[in-house]
Amino acid sequence: MTGYLGLLRSRAVDVLVPAGLVLVALTPLVPAFASARLAAAAVGGVLLGTLVATLGAWRRWTTLTVLAATLAAAVLGSSLGAPGTALAGVVPTPQTVGAVGSGAVTSWKEIVTLAPPLGAVGNLLTAPYLLALLASLVAVTVSLRTRRPAWALVAPAVVLAGAILLGTARESLALPLALAGGLGALVWATWRTGRLQRRPVAVLLLVAVAAAGGVGTGLLARGDQPRLVLREVVEPPLDPHDYPSPLAGFRAYLKDHREDTILTVRGLPDGAPLRLATMDAYDGTVWAVAGGEHHSAAGSGAFTRIGERVEEDVPDDAVTVEVEVGEYSGVWLPTVGRTYDIERAGPAAAETERNMYFNRASATGILTTGLRAGDRYTLLATPTVAPPVSALEGAPLARVDQPELSGVPEQVVAEASAMVAAAETPLARVQAIVSSLQDGYFSHGLEGDAPSLAGHGAARLAAMVGEEAMIGDAEQYAALAGLLGRA
């Protein structure tokens, strides 16, 4: 052991510099995970990799011995890659080892298909843990056991490229840290090869050029073009058009479940609505939810699997809302206002997480396996509060990017123009449309009601505005209001 400590003392710089550079190279992952667990996984992986590398250099282990020791170290520290499966988050269990084993193959894909913040969900930390362990092992081994120690810098460079691709396009400290690390690596490499002593002026000039180039590249990267990350390239596989419109089945609840409890909600402030889905695409047949590959309007966003939370930052005024499913069924996840977190309890919680998608732009959630009677979940959200009419006086209409509508009847467009002809302000135009719709008759078309067909296709809505007296229920009036407003 004295010999091992002596090795560490005499070669401290050759150990600390490569190991430290690996840690610096992992910094682009910080915005993606937004969790202290990432730091634990990175530091723990680097320490284990460095330990195996230094022991191997001290004892002159063969390649097979180093590989065996690396496997043992990976198992010993497996709780760093899947802390949720370990005892007290520290002591690995057989489930922990299995999770890290599968995460070595699957966690890379999971990282780029889940929406940040990822936190410490499942075995997602396996990727940075293994990157830290293997890169530090290779870097320190090359630094200590070869005649060309500068090759030790390849491992941190590969990790940096991988971390950028797996990270987010959000600005972070990655650039200045990478620049500082690169300059430090250059100085260390030239010192280790003896060139710093022989040609100090040339080396210092090279460092200055590298610094200027790095700063210039950083400034250019802050332009209109974001840096390339895989999560911006990988197309989420979910298309909401694979599922029926949440508005299409409106009358089924009235017809089959008029006296039943559909949903039970606790903790929702009085007057705050519960959102089933935001529908922003119309094709002449139904209002539907955009956000798939066929609807790329910026305002519609995209559906991605959520990580540890829907949003990274949770405001102090967020409320906790509990939802219990009764006779409701379907894939659309009822949410409230701006949703920051969705927590599902029970034995099926892990399965639910793997099948839950959320669109932040439209605040719409989908559970692909569907909701069933008895399901419960908790929302952390800020409910929507309707402002008083007085607060809207003089306010302009917001400009929101939405998908182009198709199949809109000409009669609806003409009716919209007629309704707002005398209105002079944006608020007055909206109020004119609402007032005109309130003059119609309300009927579900059920037994004992006035005749009123279901559906909200182009023919149904065109007939509705063409009648002397409009007649329909919430399905038709909501669909028509949406088209009139857009027109």
Side-chain angles (χ1 to χ4, degrees):
M1 184 57 68
T2 302
Y4 177 67
L5 295 178
L7 171 69
L8 294 181
R9 282 194 295 268
S10 62
R11 306 292 299 275
V13 175
D14 296 337
V15 172
L16 294 176
V17 170
L21 290 175
V22 171
L23 281 177
V24 170
L26 288 167
T27 54
L29 293 177
V30 171
F33 283 87
S35 170
R37 287 285 189 177
L38 173 64
V43 173
V46 167
L47 289 177
L48 287 172
T50 302
L51 177 64
V52 174
T54 52
L55 287 175
W58 173 49
R59 302 298 299 176
R60 294 292 174 184
W61 284 345
T62 63
T63 301
L64 288 178
T65 304
V66 171
L67 290 177
T70 302
L71 180 60
V75 171
L76 180 65
S78 57
S79 61
L80 296 170
T85 63
L87 294 176
V90 177
V91 181
T93 64
Q95 184 183 1
T96 307
V97 177
V100 170
S102 62
V105 178
T106 63
S107 61
W108 315 90
K109 176 185 176 182
E110 297 286 315
I111 287 175
V112 296
T113 55
L114 283 174
L118 304 178
V121 173
N123 57 1
L124 292 181
L125 287 169
T126 298
Y129 167 59
L130 292 181
L131 273 177
L133 190 153
L134 297 177
S136 58
L137 169 68
V138 171
V140 176
T141 297
V142 172
S143 174
L144 295 178
R145 302 183 68 172
T146 68
R147 295 181 179 179
R148 296 183 176 180
W151 284 102
L153 303 179
V154 173
V158 171
V159 171
L160 178 61
I164 290 175
L165 290 174
L166 294 175
T168 67
R170 198 179 98 182
E171 294 283 344
S172 69
L173 293 176
L175 179 64
L177 285 175
L179 180 59
L183 294 176
L186 182 60
V187 172
W188 173 77
T190 52
W191 171 73
R192 283 288 282 114
T193 56
R195 295 176 183 175
L196 185 62
Q197 292 85 352
R198 295 196 301 268
R199 301 174 182 175
V201 176
V203 171
L204 291 175
L205 181 61
L206 181 61
V207 169
V209 171
V215 172
T217 302
L219 293 175
L220 290 175
R222 298 173 67 91
D224 295 333
Q225 297 298 324
R227 71 186 187 196
L228 174 66
V229 294
L230 290 179
R231 71 179 63 255
E232 304 297 331
V233 177
V234 175
E235 184 72 24
L238 183 137
D239 187 341
H241 273 68
D242 293 338
Y243 305 95
S245 166
L247 187 58
F250 174 77
R251 286 203 185 174
Y253 288 101
L254 295 168
K255 181 179 179 181
D256 302 329
H257 302 288
R258 182 183 286 269
E259 303 299 328
D260 298 329
T261 299
I262 307 300
L263 295 165
T264 302
V265 184
R266 302 177 181 88
L268 187 65
D270 292 341
L274 189 73
R275 177 193 302 103
L276 189 60
T278 300
M279 290 163 281
D280 51 359
Y282 186 77
D283 59 4
T285 302
V286 294
W287 273 99
V289 178
E293 59 182 352
H294 304 299
H295 295 275
S296 57
S300 292
F303 283 87
T304 56
R305 290 174 55 202
I306 61 176
E308 187 176 46
R309 292 184 303 277
V310 175
E311 299 275 1
E312 178 179 349
D313 299 319
V314 180
D316 295 335
D317 60 346
V319 299
T320 300
V321 179
E322 297 178 358
V323 180
E324 180 179 352
V325 179
E327 293 302 322
Y328 171 78
S329 62
V331 300
W332 305 100
L333 188 75
T335 59
V336 173
R338 183 168 181 179
T339 301
Y340 299 92
D341 193 14
I342 304 172
E343 184 177 345
R344 174 81 178 270
E351 181 67 21
T352 299
E353 289 176 358
R354 287 193 290 269
N355 295 285
M356 187 181 296
Y357 294 77
F358 199 83
N359 185 331
R360 290 176 176 172
S362 65
T364 301
I366 291 181
L367 181 62
T368 57
T369 51
L371 290 164
R372 301 171 181 83
D375 286 349
R376 298 169 181 259
Y377 60 93
T378 302
L379 302 170
L380 192 61
T382 50
T384 300
V385 178
V389 174
S390 59
L392 300 176
E393 292 287 353
L397 289 175
R399 305 185 70 86
V400 180
D401 291 332
Q402 297 184 73
E404 291 293 329
L405 304 184
S406 61
V408 181
E410 294 181 2
Q411 297 94 317
V412 172
V413 178
E415 187 69 18
S417 298
M419 287 180 177
V420 302
E424 297 181 354
T425 67
L427 178 60
R429 288 196 288 272
V430 173
Q431 289 176 320
I433 291 176
V434 173
S435 177
S436 298
L437 293 177
Q438 288 175 337
D439 289 338
Y441 289 93
F442 193 90
S443 172
H444 294 305
L446 302 177
E447 185 178 353
D449 292 342
S452 174
L453 295 176
H456 55 277
R460 174 69 175 91
L461 299 183
M464 189 174 176
V465 297
E467 297 170 351
E468 183 176 345
M470 288 187 292
I471 186 168
D473 62 6
E475 178 188 358
Q476 287 76 47
Y477 280 109
L480 184 57
L483 295 184
L484 291 170
R486 289 289 298 272

